[in-house]
């Protein structure tokens, strides 16, 4: 495995400043965000699609530092029924086109989340049961069979046209694919091009064991995020794992995204990466640093140090 970096975490730096900072930290790969919920601070997608010379300059800046594009990231909700969904669909298509022009083979994104019926105006995350009210079963079937699977069948064909070989879907909450079981439901319907971006942080706060998940996923692991979470003692015990407070209310949340090693210790991370490697994955591990309990630089520096000590080479 090799360490890469999800570049939004250094979105306050200009493109080449960001690359130089990662070079100082001995990071060899970059996971570049191209749109979706990200403002894409380092990737002017439209300009790169229009100009071969700009694409060449973009690649030269990365390759001259001995670095590689690990993946393009276009995380958003292309299944939203409104204007946001249309915009994220276009961002996804642009990311596929840009990947083809740059020779990038992997797209990191999210599955998307539809509404619960063709009459709804907002997405609906159905998670607690489909037994009551019983109409929820029909809603979930609509989301999968009428919206998600047809969309992803078309997206897989677009990917092939552009030379993309893998989709890595982050197991993020409020998405139709949020754990291994839902990943396999989509993968079985649209083919093995779709796999998981295994992010242990989300599985932990949802009560799952990422090490067991890695064993179950096997070759369906297409990417891995090095991201940690801490269940906050005294709060999670009282209120449980579900959390609706804003992410910047860190002192009062039941759980928080934290720098690697501030949630699970390094022994846990060694075991996790060992099992991920044993399951057949030997590719990039991208740091996605979203710790709001410390400065960006402190979070990035300490997380990279932890990952460099624990990833399986």
């Amino acid at each position: 495995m090799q360490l890469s970096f999800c570049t939004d975490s250094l979105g306050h730096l200009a493109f080449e400043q960001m690359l130089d900072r990662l070079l100082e930290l001995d990071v060899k790969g970059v996971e570049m965000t191209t749109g979706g919920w990200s403002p894409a601070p380092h990737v002017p997608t439209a300009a790169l699609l229009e100009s071969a010379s700009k694409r060449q300059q973009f690649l030269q800046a990365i390759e001259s530092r001995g670095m590689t594009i690990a993946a393009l990231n276009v995380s958003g909700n292309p299944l939203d029924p409104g204007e946001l969904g249309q915009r994220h669909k276009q961002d996804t298509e642009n990311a596929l086109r840009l990947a083809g022009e740059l020779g990038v083979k992997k797209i990191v994104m999210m599955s998307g989340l539809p509404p619960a019926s063709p009459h709804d105006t907002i997405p609906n995350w159905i998670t607690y049961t489909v037994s009551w009210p019983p109409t929820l079963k029909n809603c979930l079937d609509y989301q999968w069979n009428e919206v998600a699977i047809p969309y992803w069948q078309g997206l897989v064909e677009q990917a092939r046209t552009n030379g993309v070989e893998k989709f890595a879907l982050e197991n993020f909450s409020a998405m139709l694919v949020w754990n291994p079981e839902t990943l396999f439901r989509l993968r079985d319907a649209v083919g093995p091009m779709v796999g998981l971006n295994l992010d242990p942080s989300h599985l932990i706060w949802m009560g799952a064991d990422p090490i067991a998940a890695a064993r179950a996923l096997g070759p369906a692991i297409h990417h891995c995020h090095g991201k940690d979470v801490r269940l906050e003692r005294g709060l999670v015990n009282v209120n449980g794992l579900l959390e609706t407070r804003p992410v910047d209310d860190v002192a009062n949340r039941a759980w928080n995204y934290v720098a690697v090693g501030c949630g699970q210790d390094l022994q846990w991370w060694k075991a996790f990466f060992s099992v991920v490697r044993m399951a057949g994955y030997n590719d990039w591990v991208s740091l996605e640093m979203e710790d709001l309990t410390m400065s960006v630089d402190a979070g990035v520096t300490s997380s990279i140090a932890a990952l460099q000590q624990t990833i399986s080479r």
Side-chain angles (χ1 to χ4, degrees):
M1 297 179 188
Q2 296 186 77
L3 184 59
S4 61
F5 189 88
C6 189
T7 55
D8 265 13
S9 299
L10 290 176
H12 61 288
L13 298 179
F15 174 50
E16 296 209 30
Q17 288 179 310
M18 176 271 295
L19 294 177
D20 288 337
R21 178 62 179 138
L22 294 179
L23 194 62
E24 291 172 358
L25 294 167
D26 197 31
V27 175
K28 301 300 185 184
V30 281
E31 181 182 323
M32 307 294 299
T33 53
T34 66
W37 279 310
S38 168
H42 305 116
V43 185
T45 302
L48 291 175
L49 284 172
E50 291 173 0
S51 171
S53 63
K54 288 182 179 178
R55 292 194 297 272
Q56 186 176 15
Q57 292 168 12
F58 181 78
L59 287 173
Q60 175 63 20
I62 296 169
E63 293 170 355
S64 66
R65 291 168 170 83
M67 302 173 78
T68 301
I69 299 177
L72 296 185
N73 185 312
V74 61
S75 294
N77 186 4
L79 303 183
D80 184 286
E83 184 275 334
L84 180 139
Q86 292 304 312
R87 188 170 75 249
H88 287 184
K89 276 183 179 143
Q90 187 61 59
D91 287 349
T92 301
E93 292 174 9
N94 288 344
L96 290 174
R97 290 174 54 211
L98 184 59
E101 297 290 351
L102 297 176
V104 176
K105 303 301 182 184
K106 186 192 297 184
I107 298 290
V108 176
M109 58 182 293
M110 296 170 182
S111 64
L113 181 72
S117 84
H119 311 293
D120 290 349
T121 59
I122 59 173
N124 192 324
W125 195 36
I126 301 169
T127 56
Y128 81 103
T129 184
V130 294
S131 298
W132 187 260
T135 53
L136 287 179
K137 173 66 166 61
N138 296 332
C139 293
L140 196 60
D141 288 344
Y142 165 79
Q143 290 181 308
W144 278 99
N145 300 328
E146 302 299 322
V147 183
I149 289 173
Y151 171 75
W152 274 96
Q153 286 172 334
L155 204 60
V156 163
E157 290 306 313
Q158 289 184 46
R160 289 197 181 102
T161 300
N162 288 282
V164 171
E165 297 175 355
K166 290 184 177 181
F167 284 105
L169 306 188
E170 185 171 350
N171 49 282
F172 186 69
S173 57
M175 289 286 122
L176 209 56
V177 170
W178 49 275
N179 63 5
E181 182 178 32
T182 51
L183 180 279
F184 281 121
R185 181 169 182 176
L186 184 61
R187 181 179 170 95
D188 289 346
V190 306
M193 185 185 289
V194 172
L196 202 69
N197 168 26
L198 178 56
D199 186 322
S201 68
H202 306 313
L203 290 172
I204 290 168
W205 79 253
M206 287 189 276
D209 178 356
I211 295 175
R215 290 180 183 273
L217 286 162
I221 302 173
H222 282 186
H223 195 62
C224 192
H225 269 179
K227 185 176 174 184
D228 208 345
V229 71
R230 183 172 61 237
L231 306 183
E232 302 293 1
R233 296 176 185 174
L235 293 175
V236 71
N237 311 74
V238 172
N239 291 322
L241 296 170
L242 300 181
E243 180 58 82
T244 58
R245 292 179 182 271
V247 293
D248 57 356
D249 189 10
V250 292
N252 297 302
R253 285 174 55 86
W255 56 267
N256 288 294
Y257 297 123
V258 291
V260 177
C262 292
Q264 323 313 305
D265 63 23
L266 297 194
Q267 181 59 41
W268 184 93
W269 281 98
K270 288 179 181 178
F272 171 69
F273 287 126
S274 175
V275 173
V276 169
R277 178 69 184 90
M278 185 174 66
Y281 182 79
N282 188 25
D283 203 345
W284 297 101
V285 174
S286 281
L287 169 61
E288 186 181 26
M289 213 298 291
E290 295 181 353
D291 190 331
L292 299 182
T293 73
M294 62 178 73
S295 70
V296 172
D297 189 66
V300 168
T301 303
S302 61
S303 293
I304 288 176
L307 290 171
Q308 294 285 28
Q309 293 178 69
T310 56
I311 60 175
S312 298
R313 306 288 181 177

